[in-house]
């Protein structure tokens, strides 16, 4: 670890293999919390590269007992969090719309960190299990197009880093890494980030991690989701090539709303918003989900354009297919809980 710390102090980047070695070493009990803190601070001060981010993500994934390559054509639409917008659970709601449109979704998430309610909080309130086994996840994705992977359950080895991050009190590489550590082998991804400056870097990181196609988004107001408040900044990665562009809601025939119009609340409030959207209640929440689900369908290759994706997203909701995916996941959760008693 000392060798890697010296490289970082000299503003030298670590190779992918060096980062994987450093990350593997970080999981060892022989490495002190002060060494971990110095390593994370050194990376942040230098600026993280795609190879460094990908190297850490790969090692974290190998620590999970749920790492699987059994599924094909699966995507995730998890954001990094950290935007401070206090919005409702946009990507969680959109995930069911994606599943309803025929996309296989391994929805990775956690409890709230910077917002009032994380994906795990709202899904738990809706009766979704936070302890699906690897077999449960595979079965649900195959049969229902969607399963939920609760980060602390599928990545228990991350606990030792939590104290270090809390004591440091500054953003580190871990504020970027969450959506990249999904133990399911993903083909495509829609990734939201609160850091606009990192979009091309994260797009290249997704290429390093083997994604065939991905969209990385920073919304108007620096949200880690696409927003209807104005211009969204997007990087598209396809077969290793990264291109960047902006998207205004008027370009896809959606109205403009202030970000305050999509604020959420506690788990009960956000569960009600999620159900309203899946029941087809029109308004800012609904249109925001249409935009994000449309982008997800485009990212996953199920739609030929963002407009086409939005059209498919609306069909998923209005047909009742999106809500059916939620209900089947809740029913399955109830079934496995009963069997365990």
């Amino acid at each position: 670890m000392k060798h890697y710390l010296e490289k970082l102090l000299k503003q030298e980047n670590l190779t992918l293999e060096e980062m994987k070695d450093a990350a593997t070493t970080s999981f060892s009990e022989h490495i002190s919390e002060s060494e971990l803190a110095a390593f994370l601070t050194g990376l942040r001060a230098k600026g993280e590269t795609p190879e460094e981010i990908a190297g850490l993500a790969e090692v974290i994934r190998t620590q999970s007992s749920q790492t699987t390559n059994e599924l094909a054509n699966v995507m995730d639409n998890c954001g990094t969090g950290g935007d401070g917008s206090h919005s409702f659970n946009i990507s969680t709601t959109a995930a069911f719309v994606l599943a309803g449109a025929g996309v296989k979704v391994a929805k990775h998430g956690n409890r709230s960190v910077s917002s009032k309610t994380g994906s795990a909080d709202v899904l738990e309130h809706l009766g979704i299990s936070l302890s699906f086994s690897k077999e449960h996840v595979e079965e649900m994705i195959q049969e229902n197009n969607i399963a939920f992977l609760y980060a602390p359950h599928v990545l228990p080895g991350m606990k030792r880093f939590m104290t270090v991050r809390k004591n440091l009190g500054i953003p580190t590489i871990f504020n970027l890494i969450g959506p990249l550590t999904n133990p399911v082998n993903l083909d495509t991804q829609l990734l939201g980030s609160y850091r606009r400056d990192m979009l091309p870097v994260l797009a290249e990181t997704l290429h390093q991690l083997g994604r065939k196609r991905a969209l990385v988004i920073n919304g108007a107001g620096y949200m880690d989701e696409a927003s209807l408040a104005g211009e969204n900044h997007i990087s598209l990665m396809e077969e290793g090539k990264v291109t960047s562009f902006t998207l205004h809601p008027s370009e896809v025939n959606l109205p403009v709303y202030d970000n305050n119009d999509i604020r959420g609340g506690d788990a009960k409030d956000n569960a009600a918003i999620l159900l309203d959207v899946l029941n087809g209640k029109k308004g800012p929440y609904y249109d925001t989900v249409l935009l994000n689900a449309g982008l997800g369908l485009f990212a996953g290759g199920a739609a030929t354009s963002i407009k086409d994706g939005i059209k498919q997203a609306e069909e998923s909701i209005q047909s009742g297919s999106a809500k059916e995916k939620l209900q089947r996941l809740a029913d399955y959760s109830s079934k496995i809980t009963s069997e365990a008693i």
Side-chain angles (χ1 to χ4, degrees), residues 81-133:
D83 63 12
S85 67
H86 302 294
S87 61
F88 76 107
N89 298 96
I90 298 169
S91 63
T92 305
T93 312
F96 291 104
V97 180
L98 291 170
V103 176
K104 289 183 173 11
V105 183
K107 184 70 182 81
H108 193 226
N110 209 333
R111 294 196 184 276
S112 61
V113 178
S114 59
S115 61
K116 287 185 179 180
T117 311
S119 55
D121 301 301
V122 71
L123 290 178
E124 186 178 47
H125 187 83
L126 290 166
I128 308 301
S129 173
L130 303 186
S131 56
F132 285 133
S133 68

Side-chain angles (χ1 to χ4, degrees), residues 262-274:
I262 57 169
R263 289 175 72 91
D266 60 18
K268 181 180 179 181
D269 296 330
N270 285 10
I273 293 169
L274 184 153

Side-chain angles (χ1 to χ4, degrees), residues 258-279:
D258 190 276
N259 282 337
N260 285 325
D261 294 332
I262 57 169
R263 289 175 72 91
D266 60 18
K268 181 180 179 181
D269 296 330
N270 285 10
I273 293 169
L274 184 153
L275 289 172
D276 280 345
V277 170
L278 297 190
N279 282 323

Side-chain angles (χ1 to χ4, degrees), residues 161-176:
F161 293 96
M162 295 303 293
T163 302
V164 175
R165 293 177 63 193
K166 185 176 180 180
N167 290 340
L168 272 176
I170 59 171
T172 68
I173 193 171
F174 281 97
N175 293 79
L176 303 170

